[in-house]
Amino acid sequence: MLRHYFQIAWRNLLKRKFYSLINVTGLAIGMACCVLITLYIYHEKSYDQYHVKKDRLYRVTQVFGGAEKGASPSPKDYQVWGCAPLGPALQADFPEIEKVVQFMSPSSMLLQRGEKRFQQDNLLFMDSTAFDVFSWKMIYGDPKTALTSPYSIVLTKTVAQKLFKNENPVGQALRVDNQNNFIVTGVMEDVPPNSQFTFNGLISMTTMRKFRAEIFDWWGYVDFYTYLLLKENTSIQSLQAKKTDFLKRHNTDKKYTIAFEKMTDAYLHSEASRQPGPTGNLLNIYLFTCIAIFIMLIACINFMNLSTARSLERAKEVGVRKVLGVLPSRLMWQFLFESILLTLAAAFIALVLVRPGITLIEKLSGKEMAYANFFSPLTFVYVAGFAIVVGLLAGIYPAWFLSGFRPIAVLKGKFNPSGESISLRKVLVVFQFTLSIALIAGTIIVYTQLKFLDRHELGFQDDQMLILDFEGDGKVQQNIETVKRAIAGEPGVISVASSRAVPGEFLPNAYTQIQAPGGQMSGLGPLIYEIDFDFIPTYHISLVAGRNYSRSFLTDSAQSMVINEAAAKLYGYSNPADAVGKKFDQWGRKGTIIGVVKDFNFRSLHLPVEPLTLRYGYPDNLNRISVAIKGDNIPATLAKLRRTWDKVAPQRPFLYHFLDESFNAQYSADQHFGQLFTFFSCLTICIACLGLLGLSTFMAQQRVKEIGIRKVLGSSVSGIVLLLSKDFIKLVLIAIVIAIPLCTWAMNKWLQDFAYRISIGPLVFLEAGIICVGIAFATIAWQSVKAALVNPVRSLRNE
């Protein structure tokens, strides 16, 4: 019986090559998209799942007075970045904790071995317990002792190969920042791509204790991440229950509190700020899941539409089989077998498409996919099972519909498709184009938002701003004014400033007391920039009250502070001018506020402008030199600056980047999302158009004699094209109306992640509608014109 089914199915596929090609192509693209989206979601959900002890791993999040007065802190008030004393205190007070590991914010250091030297970023000061807690594989060295001694460094495989090629470097010395010799105590495998940790090397925390021992006792110094490994058969709830007593014993600040967060939730489910690495977006996962479902629905709808539309062609076959005694159930199974055969063929093609598709998805997403375990025999079983299920779902209605024909009516030639089947086809066309229009509109909204971010006025100059990275080099810091003057002397340079950080970079919080309107000192934790006299004018940051730092005032470097409007509001001053002259106390420095700058977007536009203090920075706190340059001959200016730098700072390589590029890098995840969204949206629309092409071709064939008669009676080609197209265009217009509220709701959810965002107006849907109508008309018109140009003698000669 199966052999018989297969022969009939194969003959039908070959007999109707065009329709078979459309069905197989649509299903194959749909399945390939589903597999690729599944792989992307699998990768996103796999972050930090590689740790063997992941079920017992937690991290501590902390609040430093971020909540509203009298209110409990919300999840967004917490930050992962915290203080050093917390870790040892937790270890001592909670017997449920097996290990505590802490590490600091990433550092960038100059590594040198002989003549080889380069600036290496993402180096972490890490506790010696790291390899007991996290599942990082050591290639050389002992993981138990690698991070115990001061001046020990563990390199990742990639960094080790740059310095030592393939030799074992354990025991070798590295010169770091032209100051200290570090001993390489280990080489580890590179951190997996699906990890929040993105470091290139680990330095023993005992090294930092040699540099700054005092910070390990300060509850107010924030630069540490704290992770916990619970003992087996213990629960985090027991720590939660004792948290209040713990805080009373160790910290008198009533605004300070902590929470515990499961490490495997960190990438997708955490709302805390100051993350140690990249984070994902759960809404994006939901959106791509919906797109995968939409794609398969549209592919299945195409199959159902074409199968029911072709009912006339197979009506006599069904009638003859029924007269010969074939049961309706057998006919149903025959048609279902044909459907499953098509979907299995599509599944095979889909798997062929997936491998190059992965390379494309990696490029569009900017991520290295962790898919090694994805392609296994079990995966092929799943795909085959999925294909069979799709074949059953897509073929069940056409099979039932075809097997239900009445043989007498069919064989007499009186059979016509019922109004019910025609109505169903129309509903399905409306449904698939509703999804297509929603995706087109969504794509327009995504790119309009990205363009808005690119063109939004930030409140400071970011173009033609060159940033020189010297990462706290002592000699550059000691001679910072000399270095600045040498750079400023070049003809292509407009102005020069120095600072601890530049817009778009990581900023610390600083506990700051400022005199409130009532006269009392109010202590909060705004962000802090450490800058020099030239920073504000170089960046063209506007003052709204008071004045900038000036060399004319001797006290400005020690007893003055500039804040932004948001900071003035934070301390109770709705009028910025009222904050000028008020007292402050910050990090051991006391004085008065001399100016208030206009709020500027020094961080991503995902975030509102936060309270900021711009503190005069002493040379030993500076890391960056900002150079505003002319745009007429940038390569020549860079060459001159390189020569000047080699003269004034020969110990430090000339490292630079442009501020607009580094600032816009904050939106790389959004740009990659836009590329992925557009890619899958285009494929969805292509699949929908394939179905529309097949359906319009069939309808044109069914009306070939009508077209011939109309041409004989004088109808024009354009009139016939319009006749054949108008029914489909009506359906597309109905789909536009349905798609508007659906898309508006979904994209407003996506836009909520931006503090600065566009509003969704009717123009978006007008554009999407015009595009969709144009695509639909072009798809239908090709077959309509082809049918209209046929000689009427050929179509009427059998009458």
Side-chain angles (χ1 to χ4, degrees):
M1 183 62 71
L2 287 176
R3 181 182 174 188
H4 176 67
Y5 286 168
F6 183 83
Q7 287 178 336
I8 295 172
W10 183 249
R11 288 170 185 168
N12 272 301
L13 291 177
L14 293 179
K15 183 180 178 182
R16 301 171 180 85
K17 297 184 182 67
F18 178 73
Y19 298 107
S20 300
L21 179 65
I22 286 178
N23 265 337
V24 172
T25 303
L27 284 170
I29 295 173
M31 288 181 180
C33 287
C34 281
V35 172
L36 290 172
I37 291 174
T38 301
L39 183 59
Y40 176 78
I41 294 171
Y42 170 81
H43 172 79
E44 290 293 281
K45 298 190 77 169
S46 70
Y47 267 72
D48 296 315
Q49 299 289 333
Y50 64 91
H51 296 290
V52 175
K53 303 170 184 175
K54 61 180 182 293
D55 294 331
R56 294 189 284 139
L57 273 172
Y58 290 82
R59 63 182 189 178
V60 186
T61 58
Q62 302 168 59
V63 172
F64 297 87
E68 296 286 337
K69 291 181 179 179
S72 299
S74 71
K76 292 184 178 180
D77 290 324
Y78 286 86
Q79 60 182 44
V80 191
W81 207 38
C83 49
L86 177 66
L90 288 168
Q91 180 81 77
D93 286 21
F94 293 98
E96 297 90 344
I97 297 174
E98 181 177 318
K99 298 278 185 180
V100 172
V101 60
Q102 291 184 299
F103 58 91
M104 300 182 69
S105 303
S107 298
S108 181
M109 297 181 180
L110 183 66
L111 304 182
Q112 184 173 354
R113 181 193 179 228
E115 297 299 317
K116 293 180 182 177
R117 67 172 186 170
F118 56 87
Q119 190 78 22
Q120 184 60 61
D121 59 358
N122 283 340
L123 299 174
L124 300 182
F125 287 94
M126 177 80 72
D127 277 342
S128 60
T129 52
F131 292 99
D132 296 326
V133 174
F134 304 119
S135 299
W136 298 324
K137 297 177 181 178
M138 191 77 87
I139 301 172
Y140 300 117
D142 184 353
K144 295 187 180 299
T145 60
L147 293 173
T148 54
S149 303
Y151 304 107
S152 298
I153 184 169
V154 174
L155 304 175
T156 58
K157 182 179 178 180
T158 299
V159 176
Q161 286 180 336
K162 283 196 284 186
L163 287 164
F164 300 95
K165 295 187 177 178
N166 293 320
E167 64 179 287
N168 182 352
V170 172
Q172 299 270 6
L174 284 180
R175 190 71 174 166
V176 178
D177 283 342
N178 298 309
Q179 294 177 346
N180 299 289
N181 287 327
F182 282 35
I183 302 299
V184 178
T185 54
V187 176
M188 59 177 285
E189 291 284 359
D190 291 344
V191 181
N194 53 339
S195 175
Q196 259 212 324
F197 297 101
T198 57
F199 60 83
N200 295 306
L202 303 175
I203 303 169
S204 61
M205 190 67 81
T206 51
T207 308
M208 179 52 68
R209 287 184 179 273
K210 288 283 186 181
F211 294 162
R212 299 187 65 189
E214 69 280 0
I215 64 175
F216 290 87
D217 298 320
W218 291 351
W219 285 85
Y221 184 86
V222 180
D223 198 13
F224 291 81
Y225 296 90
T226 303
Y227 285 69
L228 313 174
L229 175 65
L230 299 187
K231 292 179 180 177
E232 292 185 9
N233 302 317
T234 58
S235 170
I236 197 66
Q237 279 72 32
S238 61
L239 275 71
Q240 296 277 16
K242 304 174 188 177
K243 182 179 73 173
T244 303
D245 292 337
F246 169 81
L247 292 172
K248 287 179 181 178
R249 283 195 301 274
H250 292 282
N251 202 303
T252 56
D253 186 357
K254 294 181 180 179
K255 295 177 182 177
Y256 176 78
T257 189
I258 62 173
F260 304 103
E261 192 171 70
K262 197 169 179 61
M263 185 179 171
T264 50
D265 290 342
Y267 181 72
L268 280 177
H269 300 280
S270 177
E271 295 185 63
S273 61
R274 302 291 189 168
Q275 296 281 348
T279 57
N281 189 320
L282 198 59
L283 179 60
N284 291 353
I285 299 294
Y286 294 145
L287 284 173
F288 283 125
T289 301
C290 290
I291 289 175
I293 295 170
F294 292 166
I295 286 174
M296 280 315 303
L297 281 175
I298 289 174
C300 291
I301 286 168
N302 287 347
F303 184 90
M304 293 171 66
N305 268 340
L306 285 175
S307 297
T308 53
R310 286 172 44 221
S311 57
L312 278 176
E313 294 183 9
R314 304 199 66 177
K316 290 184 179 179
E317 174 192 343
V318 172
V320 170
R321 288 179 180 279
K322 280 195 169 186
V323 167
L324 294 175
V326 178
L327 295 174
S329 59
R330 288 289 179 87
L331 286 171
M332 277 194 69
W333 278 112
Q334 177 192 323
F335 294 130
L336 281 174
F337 185 82
E338 292 180 21
S339 172
I340 292 170
L341 188 66
L342 270 175
T343 54
L344 285 173
F348 175 77
I349 297 171
L351 288 174
V352 174
L353 295 174
V354 163
R355 187 60 193 88
I358 289 173
T359 304
L360 180 59
I361 295 302
E362 286 184 327
K363 183 178 179 181
L364 294 176
S365 67
K367 296 183 178 184
E368 182 184 348
M369 294 292 183
Y371 62 86
N373 297 326
F374 189 82
F375 290 102
S376 64
L378 195 59
T379 301
F380 294 98
V381 172
Y382 284 146
V383 172
F386 177 65
I388 292 171
V389 171
V390 169
L392 289 171
L393 292 175
I396 191 71
Y397 177 77
W400 171 79
F401 180 76
L402 289 168
S403 64
F405 291 163
R406 294 173 58 193
I408 296 175
V410 168
L411 295 176
K412 285 183 177 181
K414 296 181 179 180
F415 170 77
N416 284 306
S418 66
E420 181 183 343
S421 68
I422 294 171
S423 299
L424 177 63
R425 286 204 301 276
K426 289 181 178 180
V427 169
L428 294 177
V429 169
V430 169
F431 178 75
Q432 65 180 176
F433 271 92
T434 296
L435 300 180
S436 299
I437 292 163
L439 290 173
I440 292 173
T443 302
I444 294 171
I445 290 167
V446 168
Y447 275 96
T448 304
Q449 174 65 19
L450 293 177
K451 188 182 292 184
F452 173 80
L453 296 178
D454 185 54
R455 296 180 178 179
H456 183 77
E457 182 60 48
L458 298 172
F460 66 89
Q461 179 182 333
D462 65 330
D463 59 319
Q464 311 302 337
M465 185 66 73
L466 189 71
I467 309 301
L468 306 183
D469 307 328
F470 62 91
E471 292 298 344
D473 184 280
K475 291 184 179 179
V476 176
Q477 289 175 332
Q478 292 169 14
N479 301 288
I480 191 68
E481 291 301 322
T482 302
V483 173
K484 285 172 57 181
R485 281 195 297 271
I487 292 171
E490 295 297 339
V493 174
I494 300 171
S495 61
V496 183
S498 58
S499 59
R500 180 176 177 176
V502 295
E505 290 186 338
F506 191 80
L507 293 180
N509 295 86
Y511 181 72
T512 307
Q513 290 183 303
I514 292 179
Q515 187 178 8
Q520 75 282 10
M521 297 297 285
S522 176
L524 295 166
L527 298 169
I528 178 174
Y529 261 125
E530 295 191 81
I531 63 174
D532 68 357
F533 292 110
D534 305 306
F535 185 88
I536 291 175
T538 296
Y539 276 89
H540 296 172
I541 299 170
S542 302
L543 281 157
V544 294
R547 61 177 178 82
N548 180 30
Y549 292 108
S550 172
R551 292 181 176 86
S552 302
F553 296 86
L554 297 178
T555 58
D556 273 11
S557 62
Q559 299 175 15
S560 300
M561 179 186 285
V562 176
I563 62 175
N564 70 348
E565 292 175 294
K569 290 177 184 175
L570 178 68
Y571 286 93
Y573 297 101
S574 55
N575 181 6
D578 294 338
V580 177
K582 296 298 185 288
K583 296 178 183 178
F584 77 87
D585 185 347
Q586 182 190 70
W587 282 2
R589 189 182 300 180
K590 297 180 180 181
T592 58
I593 296 171
I594 60 171
V596 180
V597 297
K598 185 179 178 63
D599 283 342
F600 64 99
N601 296 104
F602 54 90
R603 296 175 73 180
S604 162
L605 294 175
H606 281 277
L607 304 168
V609 176
E610 297 182 65
L612 176 69
T613 62
L614 295 102
R615 168 188 172 110
Y616 179 83
Y618 294 137
D620 58 355
N621 289 325
L622 304 178
N623 292 315
R624 304 281 185 270
I625 294 176
S626 302
V627 186
I629 62 175
K630 298 175 182 176
D632 50 355
N633 195 347
I634 293 176
T637 301
L638 286 173
K640 292 174 184 176
L641 289 175
R642 184 182 296 274
R643 288 194 294 270
T644 300
W645 184 265
D646 289 340
K647 290 178 183 177
V648 297
Q651 79 285 355
R652 172 68 53 174
F654 181 69
L655 300 173
Y656 70 89
H657 66 271
F658 285 95
L659 181 63
D660 54 350
E661 294 176 356
S662 62
F663 193 87
N664 290 332
Q666 297 177 104
Y667 309 119
S668 62
D670 302 308
Q671 291 162 352
H672 289 309
F673 167 78
Q675 292 170 349
L676 280 174
F677 191 88
T678 303
F679 173 69
F680 287 119
S681 296
C682 289
L683 286 179
T684 305
I685 294 160
C686 286
I687 295 170
C689 287
L690 275 175
L692 193 61
L693 175 64
L695 202 56
S696 62
T697 303
F698 177 80
M699 298 304 290
Q701 290 174 352
Q702 292 298 309
R703 301 178 71 173
V704 65
K705 290 184 173 61
E706 177 190 346
I707 293 169
I709 294 171
R710 288 181 180 276
K711 288 194 73 175
V712 168
L713 295 175
S715 290
S716 63
V717 171
S718 59
I720 292 172
V721 170
L722 185 62
L723 173 73
L724 295 175
S725 304
K726 66 180 182 180
D727 288 339
F728 289 109
I729 299 302
K730 285 178 184 176
L731 298 179
V732 174
L733 292 174
I734 293 170
I736 292 173
V737 175
I738 300 171
I740 289 174
L742 174 69
C743 182
T744 301
W745 174 81
M747 296 315 295
N748 271 324
K749 287 282 187 184
W750 181 73
L751 288 170
Q752 284 177 1
D753 194 37
F754 297 89
Y756 299 85
R757 55 181 178 263
I758 61 169
S759 56
I760 301 175
L763 185 62
V764 170
F765 297 102
L766 180 62
E767 291 176 3
I770 291 172
I771 292 170
C772 202
V773 169
I775 292 172
F777 184 77
T779 304
I780 299 162
W782 178 61
Q783 282 298 326
S784 300
V785 170
K786 188 177 174 182
L789 292 175
V790 173
N791 190 330
V793 174
R794 291 179 58 191
S795 55
L796 297 175
R797 62 186 174 185
N798 293 327
E799 291 297 312

